[in-house]
Each structure stands twice: as C-alpha cells, then as structure tokens.
Amino acid sequence: MKEQPRTLVYASSLFAWPCIEALFATEQLVGVITPDPQTLGHRQEPLLQLLNQLQANGIPFEVVCKEKLHLIPSHLPHFNAELALCLGFSHLLPQPVLEHYRLGIYNCHASPLPAYGGRDPIYWQLRNQETYSALTWHAMNEHLDSGDILLQLPLPLGGQDTYASLVQRFAYLALSSLEQFFHQLTTATVAPPPKGQKADQTSAAPEFITLDFNALTGAQIEALTRAHNGHYGRVLLNIKGMAVELIQVSLADYPGYGTAPGTIVMISSTQGLVVNTQDGCIRLDIVACELGVMSAERLAQLIYLDAGEQLQRPPHPLQQQV
C-alpha cells in the first residue's frame, strides 16, 4: 500500500485493529478517533480493549464525545487526512465530518448491504440463521449504511460460528481487502460503483433475553446462543430461582417422549442435559451462573435437577422475552 492517501480511522472496538495495525505499519495512518467510553454503558468494554491496544502500540488517538463530533474538522488539525475509514464506529457522523475529507469517508459494514444495515449486523445474521454474508465497503452519507457501494466481498457463515468468531473473521477479511479497496478508490479506469440503496435497519441487540421454550424451535435456540456467544448480551433461564446463562447448546437426536417444550428428558454423563423444544430436543452444553461456568450436566448435579422437570421462563421475566 505504497503512496496511499493519509488515512484517519473511526473505530469503537478491536474489530478495527487489524486494519489500524496495517495502516500504522505503512505510515499511512494519521490517527484514530473513538467515542467516549463513559457514554457507552455496558457496551464500553470492546472500546476499552481498543484504547488499551492503541496506547500500548503508540498509535495516536482522540476520544470525542457524540456532542462534539462536528468539531473534528476544525479542532483536530493534527489529524489532517485525505481519507477516512469507519470501522465499527458507534455514532452517526455529522455532515461537517462527512464532507471534510478530500477522498471521502468510507464505512466497512459486516453484511451484504442493503440487507442488515444498522446496528449489530453480525448478531442479527447469526440469530436469523443466515448462511451467507458479505463485507461491504461503501461511501458514507447522511443516511445510515446507504451510500454508494465501492466493494463487496462474500463470506459464508458456518454452523459453528459464534458472534466472537465472526467478528474476527470479518476483521481479517477487512484487512485482506484493504489493497483492493484502495485500488478501487484510486484507479480511474474502474467502473463506477453501484449506487447505494436504502438499507434495512436492524436495531441494537438486546442486553438480556429470557428464553421461552414455547416460543422457539431447537434450531432457533441454538442460533440464538451462538449470536450471544462472545457478545455483551446474555440468554437467560431461571432455574430453581437462579439466573442461568446459556452459553452453548446443540441439537440432540433424542426423543422428546411427547413432553412439553422446556421439559428435561435426560441427564447423564454421556448424553448431557437434554431438553425438549417445539420440534425436537437440544442439549444444553455450557452454562454460567453464580456457581461458575460449567457443563449443564454438572450444574444439574449441583442443584439436584432431574428428568421431567421443566425449564421455563419465570412469571416476571428478567428482560426481553423470545
């Protein structure tokens, strides 16, 4: 990436780190702008991890609160850049920022836009059991995830992918696509990019979900736990008055014996803890609670669960139900 434009990065998590590191190594990176972690509440941990990496590697950065983003062009002259890249930034950027860079500002979005525009696209694609995705580089405008598409690279989604594993896969696809991105951006002979379309707008992933076995199939429950695995949100059950987080479940080829959804049909060292759902059984593999992180079969031993008992949401759910 020799003689590439001086580039500023907007970022909120380690999703941006592979690209930041590469741009810094080639002396192309001007600096990094991040949100103020104190304004992100329970979402601040990924940003704190990024800030630690930037500081440890001597990469210049500025923390800017949402209300002062419009001042970036006039108040940060040491971050003078020709191009800006948005790699998972938490806030919409105001018009003075969008119009500031000579070569524009481009967003790296983890979905095949216009599908899954908006918040937490990785989470919603996993939860909806998608098998195909793409990394999209697009120009930014005043409408969220709706600018002209410069580059879109396919990414198949595996049945074992979790939220955390997909963040990493997308991050390294972004890194490997940088050279192609800059080629598209700076080569005058390339065809003009397809026009942006109005993107779907997903909402932020819920912080808590209280699982209702009557509402979901086994495959939907398995996808839900993968979407939350490595995410800040949690999938919860109330078992004997104790909040239990489901970290990993798997589909189980085991008879439900006509029991109601949420009924434990087997607990053993070989089969694990098997629960019936609407359309078949699932195995609760890994859970977390006040007793620690362990197999569900081990938890069943500790709190004396038995086959025939039901795992249902409490009458007054902890948070959002699904």
Side-chain angles (χ1 to χ4, degrees):
M1 294 186 292
K2 295 182 179 179
E3 300 181 359
Q4 295 293 1
R6 287 168 53 83
T7 303
L8 179 68
V9 171
Y10 290 80
S12 299
S13 73
L14 288 177
F15 170 77
W17 178 248
C19 288
I20 290 172
E21 189 176 34
L23 294 170
F24 184 65
T26 59
E27 300 183 350
Q28 184 179 347
L29 183 70
V30 173
V32 179
I33 291 178
T34 80
D36 182 350
Q38 295 184 8
T39 66
L40 299 184
H42 67 276
R43 293 171 175 257
Q44 68 178 285
E45 184 59 33
L47 174 53
L48 293 175
Q49 293 172 356
L50 173 62
L51 292 173
N52 288 336
Q53 281 287 86
L54 295 174
Q55 190 169 25
N57 288 273
I59 296 175
F61 67 91
E62 292 283 350
V63 174
V64 182
C65 67
K66 183 178 180 180
E67 292 73 22
K68 294 184 178 180
L69 289 173
H70 67 285
L71 298 175
I72 288 172
S74 58
H75 284 63
L76 297 180
H78 57 295
F79 275 0
N80 185 30
E82 302 166 278
L83 173 74
L85 302 180
C86 188
L87 295 160
F89 197 66
S90 298
H91 303 310
L92 289 174
L93 295 175
Q95 202 66 27
V97 173
L98 296 176
E99 297 175 351
H100 177 63
Y101 305 98
R102 181 177 67 83
L103 295 177
I105 178 168
Y106 287 81
N107 182 44
C108 182
H109 190 80
S111 85
L113 290 175
Y116 291 98
R119 302 283 294 276
D120 289 327
I122 293 175
Y123 171 87
W124 291 110
Q125 288 171 92
L126 279 173
R127 182 165 166 178
N128 292 340
Q129 304 174 68
E130 301 288 359
T131 58
Y132 165 87
S133 186
L135 182 82
T136 304
W137 289 96
H138 69 93
M140 295 181 68
N141 58 29
E142 66 276 15
H143 302 295
L144 185 63
D145 298 328
S146 297
D148 292 352
I149 293 174
L150 186 71
L151 182 65
Q152 195 166 80
L153 301 171
L155 183 71
L157 305 184
Q160 302 300 314
D161 272 316
T162 65
Y163 180 87
S165 73
L166 266 186
V167 168
Q168 186 177 65
R169 291 181 64 202
F170 271 111
Y172 282 96
L173 181 57
L175 171 63
S176 66
S177 70
L178 272 180
E179 185 174 352
Q180 188 176 355
F181 166 81
F182 283 113
H183 177 78
Q184 291 283 93
L185 183 68
T186 59
T187 303
T189 57
V190 298
K195 291 294 182 180
Q197 306 175 55
K198 186 175 181 180
D200 299 338
Q201 296 299 317
T202 57
S203 58
E207 182 179 358
F208 298 102
I209 284 180
T210 301
L211 184 61
D212 183 354
F213 283 95
N214 287 306
L216 298 176
T217 66
Q220 288 171 329
I221 294 171
E222 188 269 346
L224 179 66
T225 56
R226 287 192 292 115
H228 278 271
N229 195 342
H231 194 270
Y232 47 80
R234 298 190 295 161
V235 181
L236 298 173
L237 282 173
N238 188 290
I239 303 177
K240 290 191 172 182
M242 179 171 57
V244 176
E245 179 184 359
L246 293 184
I247 296 177
Q248 178 180 302
V249 308
S250 56
L251 300 179
D253 185 15
Y254 198 86
Y257 300 112
T259 58
T263 303
I264 299 173
V265 296
M266 167 61 72
I267 304 174
S268 74
S269 59
T270 55
Q271 296 291 336
L273 195 157
V274 181
V275 182
N276 197 22
T277 72
Q278 288 183 355
D279 62 345
C281 288
I282 59 172
R283 179 180 297 104
L284 309 190
D285 296 322
I286 303 172
V287 299
C289 62
E290 61 192 62
L291 302 178
V293 179
M294 62 192 71
S295 71
E297 185 262 335
R298 175 60 176 156
L299 176 64
Q301 293 178 5
L302 292 175
I303 63 175
Y304 304 104
L305 284 177
D306 202 356
E309 294 190 61
Q310 284 200 320
L311 306 180
Q312 290 290 353
R313 62 179 177 85
H316 303 289
L318 298 168
Q319 265 289 358
Q320 178 177 337
Q321 302 171 18
V322 295

